[in-house]
Short mmCIF file of all heavy atoms in Angstrom, two decimals:
data_model
loop_
_atom_site.label_atom_id
_atom_site.label_comp_id
_atom_site.label_asym_id
_atom_site.label_seq_id
_atom_site.Cartn_x
_atom_site.Cartn_y
_atom_site.Cartn_z
N ASN A 1 88.69 105.22 74.13
CA ASN A 1 89.10 103.99 73.48
C ASN A 1 90.55 103.68 73.70
O ASN A 1 90.90 102.48 73.75
CB ASN A 1 88.80 104.07 71.98
CG ASN A 1 87.37 103.86 71.62
OD1 ASN A 1 86.89 102.76 71.60
ND2 ASN A 1 86.63 104.96 71.31
N HIS A 2 91.34 104.67 73.80
CA HIS A 2 92.81 104.43 74.07
C HIS A 2 93.02 103.78 75.50
O HIS A 2 93.78 102.85 75.57
CB HIS A 2 93.54 105.79 73.96
CG HIS A 2 95.04 105.61 74.26
ND1 HIS A 2 95.84 104.78 73.57
CD2 HIS A 2 95.83 106.22 75.23
CE1 HIS A 2 97.06 104.85 74.02
NE2 HIS A 2 97.12 105.71 75.05
N LEU A 3 92.25 104.25 76.42
CA LEU A 3 92.38 103.67 77.77
C LEU A 3 91.80 102.28 77.83
O LEU A 3 92.22 101.47 78.66
CB LEU A 3 91.66 104.58 78.75
CG LEU A 3 92.29 105.96 78.98
CD1 LEU A 3 91.46 106.81 79.93
CD2 LEU A 3 93.71 105.91 79.47
N ASP A 4 90.83 101.98 76.91
CA ASP A 4 90.27 100.61 76.91
C ASP A 4 91.12 99.65 76.10
O ASP A 4 90.88 98.43 76.19
CB ASP A 4 88.84 100.67 76.26
CG ASP A 4 87.83 101.40 77.15
OD1 ASP A 4 88.11 101.52 78.32
OD2 ASP A 4 86.78 101.78 76.62
N THR A 5 92.09 100.13 75.35
CA THR A 5 92.90 99.26 74.53
C THR A 5 93.89 98.49 75.39
O THR A 5 94.56 99.05 76.26
CB THR A 5 93.70 100.11 73.46
OG1 THR A 5 92.77 100.84 72.69
CG2 THR A 5 94.53 99.21 72.62
N PRO A 6 94.00 97.21 75.16
CA PRO A 6 95.05 96.44 75.89
C PRO A 6 96.46 96.99 75.59
O PRO A 6 96.82 97.12 74.43
CB PRO A 6 94.88 95.01 75.34
CG PRO A 6 93.51 94.95 74.80
CD PRO A 6 93.20 96.29 74.30
N MET A 7 97.20 97.33 76.60
CA MET A 7 98.57 97.87 76.39
C MET A 7 99.47 97.50 77.52
O MET A 7 99.02 97.02 78.64
CB MET A 7 98.47 99.45 76.29
CG MET A 7 97.95 100.11 77.58
SD MET A 7 97.82 101.95 77.37
CE MET A 7 96.33 102.07 76.40
N ASP A 8 100.75 97.52 77.24
CA ASP A 8 101.74 97.15 78.24
C ASP A 8 101.82 98.15 79.36
O ASP A 8 101.34 99.30 79.19
CB ASP A 8 103.12 96.88 77.64
CG ASP A 8 103.62 98.08 76.89
OD1 ASP A 8 103.54 99.23 77.43
OD2 ASP A 8 104.16 97.89 75.75
N PRO A 9 102.42 97.86 80.46
CA PRO A 9 102.46 98.77 81.66
C PRO A 9 103.13 100.11 81.33
O PRO A 9 102.72 101.19 81.83
CB PRO A 9 103.29 98.03 82.71
CG PRO A 9 103.04 96.61 82.39
CD PRO A 9 102.95 96.50 80.89
N GLN A 10 104.12 100.15 80.47
CA GLN A 10 104.80 101.42 80.15
C GLN A 10 103.88 102.30 79.34
O GLN A 10 103.79 103.50 79.70
CB GLN A 10 106.07 101.17 79.30
CG GLN A 10 106.88 102.39 79.07
CD GLN A 10 108.11 102.13 78.20
OE1 GLN A 10 108.18 101.14 77.54
NE2 GLN A 10 109.10 102.99 78.34
N CYS A 11 103.14 101.83 78.46
CA CYS A 11 102.13 102.60 77.68
C CYS A 11 101.07 103.11 78.65
O CYS A 11 100.64 104.24 78.56
CB CYS A 11 101.53 101.83 76.61
SG CYS A 11 102.74 101.40 75.27
N ARG A 12 100.67 102.23 79.58
CA ARG A 12 99.61 102.66 80.48
C ARG A 12 100.10 103.75 81.36
O ARG A 12 99.32 104.63 81.74
CB ARG A 12 99.27 101.41 81.40
CG ARG A 12 98.19 101.63 82.41
CD ARG A 12 96.85 101.74 81.74
NE ARG A 12 96.44 100.56 81.01
CZ ARG A 12 95.33 100.45 80.29
NH1 ARG A 12 94.51 101.47 80.22
NH2 ARG A 12 95.03 99.34 79.71
N SER A 13 101.39 103.71 81.78
CA SER A 13 101.94 104.77 82.62
C SER A 13 101.97 106.15 81.90
O SER A 13 101.94 107.18 82.58
CB SER A 13 103.29 104.45 83.14
OG SER A 13 104.20 104.37 82.05
N TYR A 14 102.11 106.13 80.57
CA TYR A 14 102.16 107.33 79.83
C TYR A 14 100.80 107.83 79.37
O TYR A 14 100.72 108.96 78.83
CB TYR A 14 103.05 107.15 78.58
CG TYR A 14 104.57 107.23 78.85
CD1 TYR A 14 105.30 106.07 78.64
CD2 TYR A 14 105.15 108.36 79.36
CE1 TYR A 14 106.72 106.14 78.87
CE2 TYR A 14 106.47 108.38 79.64
CZ TYR A 14 107.25 107.30 79.40
OH TYR A 14 108.59 107.32 79.65
N ALA A 15 99.70 107.06 79.57
CA ALA A 15 98.45 107.44 79.02
C ALA A 15 97.92 108.75 79.55
O ALA A 15 97.48 109.64 78.82
CB ALA A 15 97.46 106.32 79.22
N ARG A 16 97.95 108.94 80.86
CA ARG A 16 97.46 110.18 81.44
C ARG A 16 98.33 111.38 81.15
O ARG A 16 97.85 112.50 80.89
CB ARG A 16 97.35 110.00 83.02
CG ARG A 16 96.36 108.93 83.47
CD ARG A 16 94.95 109.37 83.01
NE ARG A 16 93.95 108.40 83.35
CZ ARG A 16 92.65 108.48 83.03
NH1 ARG A 16 92.24 109.49 82.30
NH2 ARG A 16 91.82 107.57 83.39
N LEU A 17 99.63 111.17 81.10
CA LEU A 17 100.56 112.24 80.72
C LEU A 17 100.26 112.66 79.25
O LEU A 17 100.28 113.84 78.93
CB LEU A 17 101.97 111.83 80.92
CG LEU A 17 103.03 112.77 80.47
CD1 LEU A 17 102.92 114.11 81.25
CD2 LEU A 17 104.45 112.18 80.65
N LEU A 18 100.04 111.68 78.42
CA LEU A 18 99.73 111.95 77.04
C LEU A 18 98.48 112.81 76.89
O LEU A 18 98.39 113.76 76.07
CB LEU A 18 99.63 110.70 76.22
CG LEU A 18 99.39 110.84 74.71
CD1 LEU A 18 100.53 111.50 74.03
CD2 LEU A 18 99.20 109.42 74.11
N ASP A 19 97.47 112.49 77.67
CA ASP A 19 96.22 113.22 77.70
C ASP A 19 96.50 114.68 78.08
O ASP A 19 95.99 115.63 77.42
CB ASP A 19 95.24 112.55 78.64
CG ASP A 19 93.97 113.36 78.80
OD1 ASP A 19 93.54 114.03 77.84
OD2 ASP A 19 93.39 113.30 79.93
N ALA A 20 97.24 114.89 79.13
CA ALA A 20 97.53 116.28 79.62
C ALA A 20 98.34 117.06 78.58
O ALA A 20 98.04 118.27 78.38
CB ALA A 20 98.21 116.17 80.93
N VAL A 21 99.32 116.47 77.98
CA VAL A 21 100.19 117.20 77.10
C VAL A 21 99.46 117.64 75.80
O VAL A 21 99.60 118.71 75.31
CB VAL A 21 101.43 116.35 76.73
CG1 VAL A 21 102.18 116.99 75.57
CG2 VAL A 21 102.35 116.20 77.96
N THR A 22 98.60 116.72 75.30
CA THR A 22 97.88 117.01 74.03
C THR A 22 96.69 117.92 74.25
O THR A 22 96.20 118.47 73.23
CB THR A 22 97.36 115.69 73.42
OG1 THR A 22 96.59 114.97 74.38
CG2 THR A 22 98.54 114.84 72.96
N ARG A 23 96.25 118.25 75.45
CA ARG A 23 95.18 119.19 75.68
C ARG A 23 95.60 120.60 75.42
O ARG A 23 94.79 121.40 75.03
CB ARG A 23 94.62 118.99 77.05
CG ARG A 23 93.72 117.84 77.22
CD ARG A 23 93.09 117.77 78.64
NE ARG A 23 92.30 116.60 78.81
CZ ARG A 23 91.01 116.44 78.38
NH1 ARG A 23 90.40 117.43 77.81
NH2 ARG A 23 90.40 115.30 78.63
N SER A 24 96.85 120.88 75.72
CA SER A 24 97.32 122.26 75.68
C SER A 24 98.03 122.53 74.36
O SER A 24 99.04 121.71 74.04
CB SER A 24 98.17 122.62 76.84
OG SER A 24 98.84 123.89 76.74
N PRO A 25 97.81 123.62 73.65
CA PRO A 25 98.56 123.87 72.38
C PRO A 25 100.00 124.35 72.66
O PRO A 25 100.80 124.38 71.75
CB PRO A 25 97.75 124.96 71.73
CG PRO A 25 97.00 125.65 72.83
CD PRO A 25 96.75 124.64 73.84
N VAL A 26 100.28 124.75 73.90
CA VAL A 26 101.65 125.30 74.25
C VAL A 26 102.46 124.46 75.12
O VAL A 26 103.60 124.76 75.44
CB VAL A 26 101.45 126.71 74.84
CG1 VAL A 26 100.86 127.68 73.81
CG2 VAL A 26 100.72 126.66 76.13
N ALA A 27 101.90 123.32 75.59
CA ALA A 27 102.57 122.45 76.47
C ALA A 27 103.76 121.76 75.77
O ALA A 27 103.56 121.25 74.65
CB ALA A 27 101.67 121.42 77.16
N ASP A 28 104.90 121.64 76.42
CA ASP A 28 106.06 120.93 75.87
C ASP A 28 105.90 119.42 76.20
O ASP A 28 105.50 119.07 77.31
CB ASP A 28 107.36 121.52 76.46
CG ASP A 28 107.61 122.93 75.99
OD1 ASP A 28 107.18 123.25 74.86
OD2 ASP A 28 108.25 123.69 76.73
N THR A 29 106.34 118.64 75.25
CA THR A 29 106.36 117.23 75.49
C THR A 29 107.62 116.75 76.23
O THR A 29 108.71 117.08 75.75
CB THR A 29 106.31 116.43 74.15
OG1 THR A 29 105.16 116.89 73.44
CG2 THR A 29 106.14 114.93 74.36
N PRO A 30 107.45 116.14 77.41
CA PRO A 30 108.66 115.73 78.19
C PRO A 30 109.56 114.80 77.28
O PRO A 30 109.08 114.12 76.40
CB PRO A 30 108.09 114.98 79.33
CG PRO A 30 106.70 115.54 79.50
CD PRO A 30 106.24 115.86 78.10
N ASP A 31 110.84 114.84 77.58
CA ASP A 31 111.74 114.06 76.75
C ASP A 31 111.50 112.56 76.80
O ASP A 31 111.55 111.88 75.77
CB ASP A 31 113.19 114.26 77.24
CG ASP A 31 113.61 115.69 76.94
OD1 ASP A 31 113.03 116.41 76.08
OD2 ASP A 31 114.58 116.19 77.60
N ASP A 32 111.14 112.02 77.97
CA ASP A 32 110.93 110.60 78.07
C ASP A 32 109.67 110.21 77.24
O ASP A 32 109.58 109.17 76.56
CB ASP A 32 110.82 110.13 79.51
CG ASP A 32 109.70 110.92 80.28
OD1 ASP A 32 109.28 112.00 79.79
OD2 ASP A 32 109.19 110.40 81.34
N LEU A 33 108.62 111.04 77.29
CA LEU A 33 107.40 110.81 76.51
C LEU A 33 107.67 110.90 75.01
O LEU A 33 107.23 110.07 74.23
CB LEU A 33 106.25 111.75 76.90
CG LEU A 33 104.99 111.58 76.09
CD1 LEU A 33 104.40 110.22 76.18
CD2 LEU A 33 103.93 112.67 76.54
N SER A 34 108.50 111.84 74.65
CA SER A 34 108.88 111.99 73.23
C SER A 34 109.56 110.83 72.73
O SER A 34 109.33 110.36 71.58
CB SER A 34 109.76 113.28 73.02
OG SER A 34 110.11 113.48 71.76
N ARG A 35 110.51 110.28 73.53
CA ARG A 35 111.22 109.07 73.09
C ARG A 35 110.33 107.88 73.03
O ARG A 35 110.41 107.05 72.12
CB ARG A 35 112.38 108.78 74.14
CG ARG A 35 113.55 109.76 73.94
CD ARG A 35 114.74 109.26 74.73
NE ARG A 35 114.43 109.20 76.19
CZ ARG A 35 114.66 110.25 77.00
NH1 ARG A 35 115.22 111.33 76.56
NH2 ARG A 35 114.38 110.13 78.34
N HIS A 36 109.35 107.76 73.91
CA HIS A 36 108.36 106.70 73.89
C HIS A 36 107.50 106.78 72.66
O HIS A 36 107.24 105.74 71.98
CB HIS A 36 107.49 106.75 75.12
CG HIS A 36 106.43 105.68 75.19
ND1 HIS A 36 106.75 104.33 75.36
CD2 HIS A 36 105.13 105.74 74.98
CE1 HIS A 36 105.64 103.59 75.28
NE2 HIS A 36 104.64 104.47 75.06
N LEU A 37 107.07 107.97 72.29
CA LEU A 37 106.21 108.14 71.11
C LEU A 37 106.97 107.82 69.84
O LEU A 37 106.38 107.34 68.78
CB LEU A 37 105.71 109.59 71.02
CG LEU A 37 104.70 109.98 72.10
CD1 LEU A 37 104.30 111.47 71.93
CD2 LEU A 37 103.45 109.09 72.11
N ALA A 38 108.32 108.01 69.84
CA ALA A 38 109.11 107.64 68.68
C ALA A 38 109.19 106.11 68.47
O ALA A 38 109.48 105.70 67.33
CB ALA A 38 110.49 108.25 68.77
N ARG A 39 109.00 105.35 69.55
CA ARG A 39 109.16 103.90 69.45
C ARG A 39 107.85 103.21 69.40
O ARG A 39 107.75 102.10 68.85
CB ARG A 39 109.95 103.42 70.63
CG ARG A 39 111.42 103.90 70.69
CD ARG A 39 112.20 103.14 71.77
NE ARG A 39 111.59 103.24 73.10
CZ ARG A 39 111.88 104.19 73.98
NH1 ARG A 39 112.86 105.07 73.69
NH2 ARG A 39 111.27 104.26 75.16
N CYS A 40 106.78 103.74 69.99
CA CYS A 40 105.54 103.01 70.14
C CYS A 40 104.50 103.60 69.15
O CYS A 40 104.07 104.71 69.24
CB CYS A 40 104.99 103.24 71.60
SG CYS A 40 103.40 102.41 71.83
N VAL A 41 104.13 102.76 68.15
CA VAL A 41 103.23 103.17 67.12
C VAL A 41 101.85 103.42 67.74
O VAL A 41 101.12 104.37 67.34
CB VAL A 41 103.10 102.06 66.01
CG1 VAL A 41 102.09 102.42 65.01
CG2 VAL A 41 104.48 101.91 65.38
N GLN A 42 101.42 102.59 68.64
CA GLN A 42 100.07 102.69 69.25
C GLN A 42 99.90 104.04 69.98
O GLN A 42 98.93 104.72 69.82
CB GLN A 42 99.88 101.54 70.20
CG GLN A 42 98.51 101.47 70.86
CD GLN A 42 98.30 100.29 71.75
OE1 GLN A 42 99.12 99.39 71.75
NE2 GLN A 42 97.21 100.27 72.52
N CYS A 43 100.91 104.43 70.80
CA CYS A 43 100.77 105.67 71.48
C CYS A 43 100.95 106.87 70.61
O CYS A 43 100.31 107.93 70.76
CB CYS A 43 101.83 105.75 72.62
SG CYS A 43 101.51 104.58 73.94
N ALA A 44 101.77 106.76 69.54
CA ALA A 44 101.88 107.88 68.57
C ALA A 44 100.58 108.07 67.79
O ALA A 44 100.22 109.23 67.56
CB ALA A 44 103.01 107.52 67.59
#
């Protein structure tokens, strides 16, 4: 459903990275993704 949601290009570029990071319990969130999640309610 997240991939089907209309979103801007920046959110679209982070969608696959967000999937990979949230699959692993020990994976660190990259700084740029962390800053994006702090600003984007939809991706958070």
Side-chain angles (χ1 to χ4, degrees):
N1 280 285
H2 179 56
L3 296 176
D4 291 342
T5 303
M7 63 182 75
D8 57 43
Q10 186 181 22
C11 294
R12 182 73 61 184
S13 65
Y14 281 117
R16 294 299 178 184
L17 178 59
L18 183 62
D19 175 32
V21 169
T22 54
R23 282 186 184 275
S24 173
V26 296
D28 294 330
T29 304
D31 292 341
D32 57 340
L33 177 59
S34 179
R35 287 191 295 270
H36 177 72
L37 294 178
R39 296 190 303 267
C40 181
V41 176
Q42 183 177 350
C43 291

